């Protein structure tokens, strides 16, 4: 909430949890001092996460980078006499091609009739469609307000906001479809343009929406940005 997002904090928590489990399993103690570490420790921890915890390599890579970072901080602050793992190379990041939603799948999702009792799914679908029409990330879509709307000399409405991830200023001319979604979700008692929705709820709803719409592609929120770009 200061210079780290809550989702980043959770990664540190899970790293510590798996590290504590690794130390207890492999060394039969509750903790180790920095002076007891060696270069093999981080490799054994990597194997533990991959083979015994069955974690994905991308997840393990995050954990290893945090462990390296903590060891660097410990060395700089005088808690450790040695900067452990400074020569350890993190596993290569998997190259993935950004995917956009096909027009056919986009139209299936857009035209999907969702029962009113599934209000949460309606919100998720509208947030995703807004991303497709504007390129906004989830963190930005759920935090933008009417103060982020500006009218140009020709009377067209623009969305101007600071991206949470990079702090860069984003400017997007709003399509009629995006304006219709804003109007649909309008609630003058709420500060934000769209109802707030927890990210974990949104992710679960995206999986349900894929099944409900009979889509041939996996559905994740970030696809909206790529769909907008393409």
């Amino acid at each position: 909430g200061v210079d780290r997002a809550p989702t980043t904090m959770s990664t540190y928590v899970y790293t510590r949890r798996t590290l504590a489990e690794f130390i207890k399993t492999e060394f039969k103690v509750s903790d180790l001092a920095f002076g007891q570490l060696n270069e093999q420790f981080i490799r054994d921890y990597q194997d533990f996460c991959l083979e015994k915890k069955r974690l994905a390599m991308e997840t393990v890579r995050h954990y290893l980078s945090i462990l390296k970072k903590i060891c660097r901080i410990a060395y700089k602050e005088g808690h450790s006499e040695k900067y452990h793992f400074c020569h350890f190379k993190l596993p290569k990041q998997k190259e993935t091609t950004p995917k956009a939603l096909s027009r056919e799948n986009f139209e299936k999702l857009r035209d999907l009739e969702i029962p009113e009792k599934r209000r949460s799914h309606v919100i998720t679908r509208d947030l995703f469609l807004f991303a497709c029409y504007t390129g906004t990330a989830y963190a930005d879509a759920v935090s933008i307000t009417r103060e982020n709307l500006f009218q140009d000399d020709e009377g067209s409405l623009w969305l101007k906001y600071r991206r949470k991830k990079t702090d860069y200023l984003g400017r997007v001319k709003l399509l009629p479809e995006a304006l219709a979604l804003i109007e649909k979700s309008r609630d003058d008692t709420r500060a934000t343009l769209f109802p707030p929705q927890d990210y974990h709820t949104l992710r679960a709803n995206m999986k349900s929406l894929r099944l409900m719409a009979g889509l041939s592609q996996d559905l994740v929120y970030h696809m909206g940005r790529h769909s907008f770009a393409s």
Side-chain angles (χ1 to χ4, degrees):
V2 180
D3 61 353
R4 293 290 184 276
T7 48
T8 303
M9 177 65 188
S10 65
T11 309
Y12 279 78
V13 171
Y14 291 131
T15 301
R16 186 198 182 285
R17 191 175 295 170
T18 57
L19 192 61
E21 190 177 341
F22 166 66
I23 290 172
K24 188 173 183 179
T25 302
E26 297 298 315
F27 297 92
K28 313 301 181 189
V29 293
S30 61
D31 201 2
L32 291 175
F34 277 107
Q36 295 175 269
L37 302 185
N38 55 39
E39 289 296 316
Q40 190 58 38
F41 178 90
I42 197 168
R43 295 183 182 88
D44 290 340
Y45 173 57
Q46 175 179 308
D47 292 341
F48 174 81
C49 290
L50 288 171
E51 296 170 12
K52 293 193 177 177
K53 300 299 292 179
R54 310 294 294 174
L55 299 173
M57 178 56 83
E58 286 301 294
T59 302
V60 176
R61 190 180 186 281
H62 283 306
Y63 291 1
L64 294 173
S65 66
I66 288 175
L67 178 57
K68 280 193 69 171
K69 179 180 178 181
I70 296 300
C71 287
R72 183 176 70 249
I73 293 171
Y75 174 68
K76 287 174 68 177
E77 295 186 354
H79 302 296
S80 174
E81 295 179 358
K82 180 181 176 183
Y83 174 16
H84 293 286
F85 320 127
C86 60
H87 301 299
F88 177 80
K89 298 290 185 186
L90 292 174
K92 284 191 175 180
Q93 200 157 9
K94 188 178 178 182
E95 295 292 331
T96 55
T97 305
K99 291 182 179 179
L101 207 59
S102 69
R103 177 167 289 277
E104 179 186 2
N105 282 336
F106 169 78
E107 290 176 351
K108 281 182 180 178
L109 185 64
R110 180 195 65 191
D111 300 336
L112 176 66
E113 293 287 339
I114 304 175
E116 189 56 39
K117 65 179 180 180
R118 294 200 168 191
R119 176 65 182 154
S120 177
H121 290 80
V122 173
I123 293 171
T124 298
R125 196 263 304 272
D126 289 351
L127 284 170
F128 180 75
L129 291 179
F130 190 74
C132 293
Y133 295 134
T134 62
T136 50
Y138 160 79
D140 300 316
V142 294
S143 61
I144 52 177
T145 69
R146 293 209 160 265
E147 293 180 1
N148 296 113
L149 300 179
F150 294 88
Q151 197 169 44
D152 63 18
D153 295 337
E154 297 176 356
S156 298
L157 267 181
W158 288 67
L159 180 66
K160 294 184 182 180
Y161 63 100
R162 289 272 176 194
R163 284 206 65 201
K164 282 188 175 294
K165 184 177 180 181
T166 60
D167 202 39
Y168 288 164
L169 181 62
R171 298 183 184 88
V172 185
K173 188 175 182 179
L174 292 172
L175 297 169
E177 293 88 348
L179 290 169
L181 287 170
I182 291 173
E183 195 56 37
K184 176 184 175 183
S185 299
R186 181 167 184 162
D187 183 347
D188 294 332
T189 64
R190 188 181 63 234
T192 56
L193 293 180
F194 293 97
Q197 186 168 65
D198 177 73
Y199 185 63
H200 297 291
T201 301
L202 178 134
R203 286 184 64 181
N205 286 351
M206 294 288 283
K207 292 179 181 179
S208 299
L209 286 170
R210 181 201 171 191
L211 296 174
M212 291 164 66
L215 306 187
S216 57
Q217 293 173 270
D218 286 333
L219 193 62
V220 293
Y221 189 85
H222 206 67
M223 291 174 76
R225 279 178 60 75
H226 296 305
S227 300
F228 170 73
S230 63

